[in-house]
Each structure stands twice: as C-alpha cells, then as structure tokens.
Amino acid sequence: MAHYKLETQLSKMKDATLPQTYHHLLRGVGEQRDSPAAQEAKGDLLSLLEGVPFDRPIEPLPENVVKSALQLPAGSKSGPVLHPLKGRTSTIRPCKAPGLIHAPPPTSKERATQAEKQKGKSKDDKERKEKKEKKKKKREREDASLLQKLLAPLVTELRALTWAGWVVSGKPGNPFVQKFTRENCKRLGVPNYFDYVKDPMDLTRMKEKVEHAEYSKIDQLTADVKLMAANAKTFNRVGEPVHQMAIEIEQLYESKLADYKKTFEELQQERKKRKKDKKKRKDKKKDK
C-alpha cells in the first residue's frame, strides 16, 4: 500500500463525511447574478431543501420557485420551456403540483409540415420501389430471351432419348415426351395416374415453356425436370422400367447442368458489357 503512496488519500477519506441534506446541490446557484430576485430564488430553494435527508426523495417544488430558479441571465440562449401538465400524472410518481419541464407540443403548422414531409417520403419510396420492380421485370424478360435460345437444344436432346423398355409403334420410345393429361393417361391404360400425381410435368410442357420464354432462370427448368422424375418414381415402383428411366434422365440432365449454367452466366456478362458500352457511347455523344 505504501508503494502506491495512498496514505494521504486514505486519511482524507477517513475524515470525509457524506452530505446529510440536499444543501450542497445548490452550490453556485445564483452566484453569477447579483439581482435580488436571484438571491431570493436561491433563498427559497435553500429553505425548501434545508433539513430534507439526503436519502429521501425531494417533494415537487412549487411552480413559482422553479420559475424563479430557472430564469436565465441576459444574453444567454433560451433554455427549457416550462409547460404545465394540466392534470397529467408522472409514470414514476404522482405529480402533486403542475410545472414539469418539457418541450411544448408542436403547433398545427409544424404538424402540417411534418405530415407533408412524411407524405413526400412515402411517395418517393413508392416510386423507387416501382422503378426497382420495373428493372427486375425487364431483366427477367432479357434472361428469358437468352434462355429461350440456350435451353431449346437441351430440351430437344432430352426428348430424343429412347429406351428399349418403352416401345411405341414397335420402336424404342421416351415415356416423358407424351403430355400427361387425363385423356392421354386413359389411352395409355393408366386412368388412376392423377390419383398419385397432383402436379404433372413432362418434356412437352417444358418445350412449350421454352418456346414461350417462360423460364427466366435455369433453376426453374431444373425444378421441372426434378418434378417430372419424382412423379415417375412416385407412380412406378422401384425396379420397374419407367422408374429406372426417371433416374437416368435426371442424372443425364444434372451432368449437363453445370455447363449450361456457365454458358448462361457468360451470356449475361456479355449483355451487361454491351449495355455499358452503349451507355458510354451515348454519354460521349451528349458531351459533344
């Protein structure tokens, strides 16, 4: 303890006494003002706080005393506004006397200005959202146009697959080319197909979607291929020919998927580059 030279501070702490009243809190109040009103206000506060134990809460002060104590000297900036609560009560303890210090309520003009600002902000947000949505839809249309050309050969390749276990007119065929409708299922001898499959999918439907540019993402085509395979595996038991064909066509598609995704990303980058170049040329013309 001696090493840190704390003896002096410890001796002072032993001799120190804690305040017994709130009197010490008024140190400096009214000292910068020589007016009788300031001295009178300080005297009023001292008389009110005199004898109040320091460990007890202060009762609400009369409004006239608070007003006098908060008067600012000439030339100083405006301080807090004294605004009566008109019967309101504090959330902490009851307010026996009005006269708490808080900001006055906004005027009707201020409220109207604030409402106008909020209205303008909401309008700007709405316009920004609509503009963003338009850009998104435009980009989706452009992606669908790219995929229309890119995916057509892939769907054609899947439709060209044949299996010896599925014979059509004496030749190996593809069970996924036929469009799954109730009429076709009855003709194929599986009228109960829709009892097991609620969302049919086939390569003919995929071809139509590609032709109408309904795919804006490769993942959408992937979802349809997986749905088609899942339907086939649901309706046909393990070991049956069509069940195995569904596994094979799904595996073939997944083996080609990475290359098609890479090609699609390259096409997107080329499109972005063309747009940037076009914008640069347009800006140069404006500068000229």
Side-chain angles (χ1 to χ4, degrees), residues 7 20 51 96-97 109 128 135 147 160 164 170 176-177 188 202 205 211 220 231 237 263 277:
E7 293 87 350
Q20 301 298 320
K96 295 181 180 179
K109 186 177 180 180
R128 197 180 298 110
K135 283 186 176 180
L147 286 174
F176 306 107
V177 173
L188 292 170
D202 49 70
R205 283 186 170 90
E211 290 173 350
Q220 293 171 339
N231 290 344
R237 298 186 184 91
T263 304
D277 294 341

Side-chain angles (χ1 to χ4, degrees), residues 79-98:
V81 179
L82 189 68
H83 186 72
L85 289 181
K86 296 181 181 179
R88 297 182 193 172
T89 56
S90 172
T91 56
I92 300 175
R93 57 180 297 169
C95 180
K96 295 181 180 179

Side-chain angles (χ1 to χ4, degrees), residues 165-192:
W166 186 267
V167 180
V168 179
S169 301
K171 297 179 181 179
N174 188 332
F176 306 107
V177 173
Q178 184 70 41
K179 196 168 186 177
F180 292 106
T181 62
R182 294 187 181 275
E183 293 76 13
N184 288 339
C185 288
K186 287 179 182 178
R187 186 171 55 82
L188 292 170
V190 284
N192 61 339

Side-chain angles (χ1 to χ4, degrees), residues 153-164:
L154 176 59
V155 175
T156 301
E157 184 179 352
L158 295 177
R159 287 171 58 85
L161 293 173
T162 57
W163 285 271

